[in-house]
Amino acid sequence: MMNYSYLNSSFSDMTYNFTVPMSSHNDTSKSAMGVVTGINAVPELQAFQKSYQPIHGYLAPIICVFGVVANILNIVVLTRKNMQTSTNVILTGLAISDGLTMAAYIPYALLLYVIHGTRITPIRDSYQVAHFQMGYALFSVVVHSISIWLTVTLALFRYIFIRHPRLGAHYCNMHKAKIAVIAVVIVVTLVCVPYSVNLSISSSSFTDPDGLIPNGTTFHINMKRTHDYEKVLYSVNFWIQAILIKLLPSFLLTIFSILLVNTMRRAERRRKRLLNNVPMSEENGATSTSSTTVSSRKQKKSRSNRTTKMLLAVVILFLLTETPQGVLSVMGGLDGSFFEYIYMPLGDLLDIITLINNGINFVLYCTMSKQFRDTFLKLFLKNVLHQEYRRTKNTYTTAQATVATNDSDV
């Protein structure tokens, strides 16, 4: 952000603003891998960054509050007895990780954008704030990475279930789904946490050229790269993060999205062929049992297709959000000029897009899943709906009585 440099583009999938005074860093244009090219500053991006940054500090907490509430509602609805399926187990884990990601962003945005502004000062960038940033960085990276891999797990489960139903019934049941969620949490945590070994807190002297702010000391997060072993560890962690947390999930989500779409198309063509070959006796209702069976299968298949479409929407939205950001962050880690002049000005915009995606699933569930919608209405609007039903019934009864009286008069 203005007068600041991001600490490192490879540490987080979201562009968390680990700020370092540019005046105290002579190598801010160097990338994670020490590569610098001749990319120049883009005036339009710098202008956008400067105009949007003050808005971001207020917009992000508002979106996060709504997102946290929405994810809590997701958890409550998805854990109801009538909603317990393997898919909903994974969606519940996704709602928890998304909700935690957004909850963690609220104090971060308030502290570094709203309360003390965005300009670096000894008050804003104190030692305590630097420690908060370090803890926030690690926590947010872990929970957001868990969200990414849970989305991949969701796509995998759904593909197996609709492409190979028998295998899906055996390998994609609720027990396996719970194991998959736990495995994702453990593995992702083990992959992300070692990166914190490279983190350290540094300090620098602060002098306000305008003389409006008292001189003092500011603290910021650095990446340890002094010794050879620290450089090696840093490079290893960079590529682990780049591949396992950014590029590989995006690649897998792309593949599974294509496979799901193709599988649904084949299933739809097969369904139409079967409908065209239905015997006349069934069409005319001569065999009621067979007709009932066919109707039941149609309804079941229709529900399955709606569920697949809903999950496909979740996966595609996640893919559209994460893929550009992952590519930009990896390029920023490889090329210092790209990081400073392209990736950094877009940081807040990437954040807000990711936050919106973390909170939008509730809308998708309500609009695309009748079972979710009905369960939600039953849980939270039961009294309202009951009162509306009684009011409608009373109105109808009164109207019927009036009609009866008028008829008697006639």
Side-chain angles (χ1 to χ4, degrees), residues 24-64:
S24 66
H25 260 264
N26 297 324
D27 63 342
T28 51
S29 62
K30 290 184 180 180
S31 67
M33 306 310 295
V35 179
V36 180
T37 62
I39 296 178
N40 297 320
V42 182
E44 292 78 8
L45 288 180
Q46 292 180 328
F48 169 77
Q49 177 189 16
K50 186 176 181 179
S51 61
Y52 174 70
Q53 187 180 25
I55 301 173
H56 180 80
Y58 294 91
L59 180 61
I62 294 174
I63 292 176
C64 286

Side-chain angles (χ1 to χ4, degrees), residues 257-274:
S257 297
I258 295 173
L259 291 175
L260 282 170
V261 171
N262 290 337
T263 302
M264 290 181 64
R265 287 179 177 177
R266 286 196 298 268
E268 182 63 20
R269 288 195 296 267
R270 185 166 58 250
R271 186 185 69 85
K272 289 181 179 180
R273 286 197 302 267
L274 290 174

Side-chain angles (χ1 to χ4, degrees), residues 228-299:
D228 290 339
Y229 74 90
E230 291 176 342
K231 294 179 181 179
V232 172
L233 179 61
Y234 182 84
S235 297
V236 171
N237 280 324
F238 171 80
W239 285 112
I240 290 176
Q241 295 284 317
I243 294 173
L244 296 183
I245 305 301
K246 296 177 176 65
L247 300 181
L248 183 58
S250 296
F251 174 77
L252 291 176
L253 286 176
T254 302
I255 296 300
F256 285 132
S257 297
I258 295 173
L259 291 175
L260 282 170
V261 171
N262 290 337
T263 302
M264 290 181 64
R265 287 179 177 177
R266 286 196 298 268
E268 182 63 20
R269 288 195 296 267
R270 185 166 58 250
R271 186 185 69 85
K272 289 181 179 180
R273 286 197 302 267
L274 290 174
L275 289 177
N276 292 333
N277 295 328
V278 174
M280 289 297 296
S281 59
E282 292 186 5
E283 290 183 357
N284 297 328
T287 311
S288 59
T289 303
S290 300
S291 299
T292 303
T293 302
V294 171
S295 177
S296 176
R297 289 178 179 177
K298 288 181 181 179
Q299 293 177 0

Side-chain angles (χ1 to χ4, degrees), residues 11-184:
F11 184 74
S12 171
D13 241 329
M14 297 181 72
T15 318
Y16 303 113
N17 311 321
F18 309 132
T19 53
V20 184
M22 294 185 70
S23 59
S24 66
H25 260 264
N26 297 324
D27 63 342
T28 51
S29 62
K30 290 184 180 180
S31 67
M33 306 310 295
V35 179
V36 180
T37 62
I39 296 178
N40 297 320
V42 182
E44 292 78 8
L45 288 180
Q46 292 180 328
F48 169 77
Q49 177 189 16
K50 186 176 181 179
S51 61
Y52 174 70
Q53 187 180 25
I55 301 173
H56 180 80
Y58 294 91
L59 180 61
I62 294 174
I63 292 176
C64 286
V65 169
F66 282 101
V68 170
V69 173
N71 280 293
I72 291 175
L73 294 177
N74 288 341
I75 296 169
V76 173
V77 175
L78 292 172
T79 53
R80 296 305 92 189
K81 187 174 182 179
N82 66 305
M83 297 289 290
Q84 293 180 1
T85 63
S86 58
T87 296
N88 290 346
V89 168
I90 301 174
L91 290 178
T92 301
L94 183 61
I96 294 173
S97 56
D98 283 347
L100 290 176
T101 300
M102 303 187 82
Y105 202 92
I106 296 174
Y108 170 79
L110 293 176
L111 186 61
L112 293 175
Y113 285 84
V114 179
I115 297 176
H116 299 300
T118 57
R119 184 184 178 187
I120 190 168
T121 64
I123 297 177
R124 177 185 181 275
D125 297 272
S126 64
Y127 185 72
Q128 291 77 12
V129 171
H131 266 287
F132 165 77
Q133 283 184 282
M134 186 179 292
Y136 162 77
L138 183 59
F139 176 80
S140 57
V141 168
V142 170
V143 293
H144 186 61
S145 300
I146 288 172
S147 293
I148 293 173
W149 277 102
L150 284 179
T151 306
V152 175
T153 305
L154 178 67
L156 173 62
F157 265 58
R158 195 61 192 176
Y159 172 71
I160 295 175
F161 188 81
I162 65 172
R163 185 68 180 86
H164 306 284
R166 293 183 180 179
L167 289 177
H170 180 72
Y171 291 105
C172 299
N173 53 41
M174 284 187 58
H175 179 67
K176 296 293 195 305
K178 292 177 181 178
I179 293 177
V181 172
I182 295 173
V184 166

Side-chain angles (χ1 to χ4, degrees), residues 316-329:
I316 291 177
L317 280 178
F318 212 94
L319 179 63
L320 293 176
T321 301
E322 296 299 327
T323 300
Q325 185 170 313
V327 172
L328 288 175
S329 61

Side-chain angles (χ1 to χ4, degrees), residues 164-230:
H164 306 284
R166 293 183 180 179
L167 289 177
H170 180 72
Y171 291 105
C172 299
N173 53 41
M174 284 187 58
H175 179 67
K176 296 293 195 305
K178 292 177 181 178
I179 293 177
V181 172
I182 295 173
V184 166
V185 172
I186 294 175
V187 173
V188 169
T189 302
L190 292 176
V191 170
C192 292
V193 169
Y195 208 90
S196 61
V197 176
N198 282 112
L199 292 177
S200 65
I201 296 178
S202 302
S203 63
S204 60
S205 299
F206 173 84
T207 301
D208 184 12
D210 301 324
L212 301 177
I213 301 174
N215 297 336
T217 303
T218 58
F219 296 87
H220 47 266
I221 305 175
N222 269 340
M223 305 303 292
K224 298 177 183 178
R225 282 178 284 178
T226 303
H227 304 288
D228 290 339
Y229 74 90
E230 291 176 342

